[in-house]
C-alpha cells in the first residue's frame, strides 16, 4: 500500500489504538497530523517515532468535547499540510455509568467526545476534501454500538450515534468522500479493567483470542486503500464475539 504524499489526521493519536493507527498510516507513506487531548508527552514521543520513519508530522492539541476546538483542529491540520486525505476519528471517552445515576455531565461527556467532536471535525475536513481531491473518513466505533452493555449506557448509545453518523456521512459526502467505520472488540485493556476481567474476554471469545491495536490499524488501512466501492460500512473486528450472545 502506498500512501506517499497523502496526509492523515488521527485523533487521540498519542498512545494506544490511535497511536497504532497513526504509525501504520505513516509506515504506508502518509504524513501525519497527530491530535492529542491531555497526553502531550506521549504525543511528542509518537511524533518522534513518525518522524523517524521519514514522514512529516504536526502535533495538535484540542478538547474534542468542545465544538470550536474541534473546528480549530481541522483548520490547523489543513493549514499544516495544505490538505487532509484521510481523517481517522479514534479519540473517545469510555466512562462506565450506572444508568439510573447517570448525570447530565456524564451524558454530555460521552456525546460531546464520541459524537459531536467527530461530527464537526469531519464537517471541516470534508468541506476541504470536497473542494480538493476528495478523501476518506474512518470512524472508530465499538461493540456498544450494536448491543447494550450493563453500566455503559451513555457510552454505548453515543457509539451507536457515531455508527449512524458514519452512514449519514457516507450518504451525504459522496462522491468525493467515502466514510466507513471500524468496530473493535476487546483489543487493549481499559485501565479500569482488572487482568482477570480482561483475560475472561479471551476465554469466552469464539477464537479464544483478544485483538490488537495493530489489527485495528490494519483494518483502517484496508478501508483507506482497499476496494473504493466500500462506503457507509462498518467492519467488526471481534473474533466473532458478537454472535455468542
Ligand atoms: N481499547 C479497546 O479494546 C477498544 C475496544 C472497542 C473500541 N475501541 C475504540 O477504539 C478507539 C481507541 O481506543 P483506545 O482504547 O485507544 O481509547 P482510549 O485510550 O480510551 O482513548 C483514546 C484517546 O481519546 C482521547 N480523548 C478522550 N477524551 C478526549 C477529549 N475530550 N478531547 C480530546 N481527546 C480526547 C485521549 O487523548 P489524550 O490521552 O491525549 O487525552 C485518549 O488517548 C476508541 O474510539 C474506542 O472507543 C477500543
Amino acid at each position: 500500500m502506498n500512501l506517499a504524499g497523502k496526509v492523515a489526521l488521527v485523533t487521540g493519536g498519542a498512545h494506544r489504538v490511535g497511536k497504532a493507527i497513526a504509525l501504520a498510516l505513516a509506515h504506508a507513506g502518509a504524513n501525519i497530523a497527530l491530535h492529542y487531548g491531555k497526553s502531550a508527552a506521549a504525543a511528542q514521543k509518537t511524533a518522534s517515532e513518525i518522524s523517524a520513519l521519514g514522514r512529516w508530522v504536526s502535533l495538535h492539541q484540542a478538547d474534542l468535547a468542545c465544538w470550536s476546538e474541534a473546528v480549530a483542529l481541522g483548520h490547523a491540520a489543513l493549514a499544516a499540510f495544505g490538505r487532509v486525505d484521510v481523517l481517522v476519528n479514534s479519540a473517545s471517552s469510555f466512562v462506565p455509568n450506572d444508568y439510573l445515576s447517570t448525570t447530565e455531565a456524564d451524558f454530555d461527556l460521552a456525546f460531546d467526545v464520541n459524537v459531536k467532536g467527530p461530527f464537526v471535525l469531519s464537517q471541516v475536513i470534508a468541506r476541504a476534501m470536497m473542494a480538493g481531491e476528495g478523501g476518506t473518513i474512518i470512524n472508530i466505533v465499538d461493540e456498544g454500538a450494536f448491543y447494550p452493555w450493563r453500566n455503559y449506557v451513555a457510552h454505548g448509545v453515543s457509539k451507536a450515534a457515531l455508527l449512524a453518523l458514519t452512514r449519514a456521512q457516507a450518504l451525504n459526502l459522496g462522491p468525493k468522500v467515502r466514510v466507513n467505520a471500524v468496530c473493535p472488540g476487546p483489543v487493549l485493556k481499559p485501565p479500569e479493567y482488572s487482568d482477570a476481567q480482561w483475560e475472561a474476554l479471551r476465554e469466552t471469545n469464539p477464537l479464544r483470542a483478544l485483538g490488537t491495536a495493530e489489527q485495528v490499524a490494519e483494518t483502517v488501512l484496508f478501508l483507506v486503500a482497499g476496494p473504493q466501492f466500500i462506503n457507509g460500512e462498518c467492519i467488526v473486528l471481534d473474533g466473532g464475539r458478537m454472535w455468542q450472545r
Side-chain angles (χ1 to χ4, degrees), residues 11 17 21 88-94 113-115 118 137-147 149 155-167 169 179-187 216 219-220 223 232-238 242:
T11 70
V17 175
I21 294 169
V88 183
N89 288 305
S90 180
S92 171
S93 138
F94 183 62
V113 179
N114 299 346
V115 189
I137 297 172
I138 314 289
N139 296 319
I140 310 297
V141 301
D142 83 30
E143 291 189 314
F146 290 92
Y147 55 80
W149 298 342
H155 175 80
V157 176
S158 72
K159 287 291 193 173
L162 181 61
L163 182 58
L165 175 64
T166 304
R167 294 165 177 160
Q169 288 172 324
V179 187
N180 290 291
V182 178
C183 173
V187 295
V216 178
T219 311
V220 168
L223 287 171
E233 194 49 75
C234 178
I235 297 187
V236 178
L237 187 81
D238 74 342
M242 192 176 289

Side-chain angles (χ1 to χ4, degrees), residues 162-221:
L162 181 61
L163 182 58
L165 175 64
T166 304
R167 294 165 177 160
Q169 288 172 324
L171 184 67
N172 283 276
L173 296 179
K176 290 183 90 169
V177 180
R178 287 186 309 120
V179 187
N180 290 291
V182 178
C183 173
V187 295
L188 269 186
K189 186 174 91 59
E192 67 274 17
Y193 275 40
S194 68
D195 288 345
Q197 265 178 307
W198 188 245
E199 279 308 309
L201 295 176
R202 182 197 308 277
E203 284 152 26
T204 54
N205 190 285
L207 296 182
R208 304 291 179 271
L210 296 167
T212 63
E214 289 67 31
Q215 289 177 353
V216 178
E218 263 182 74
T219 311
V220 168
L221 287 184

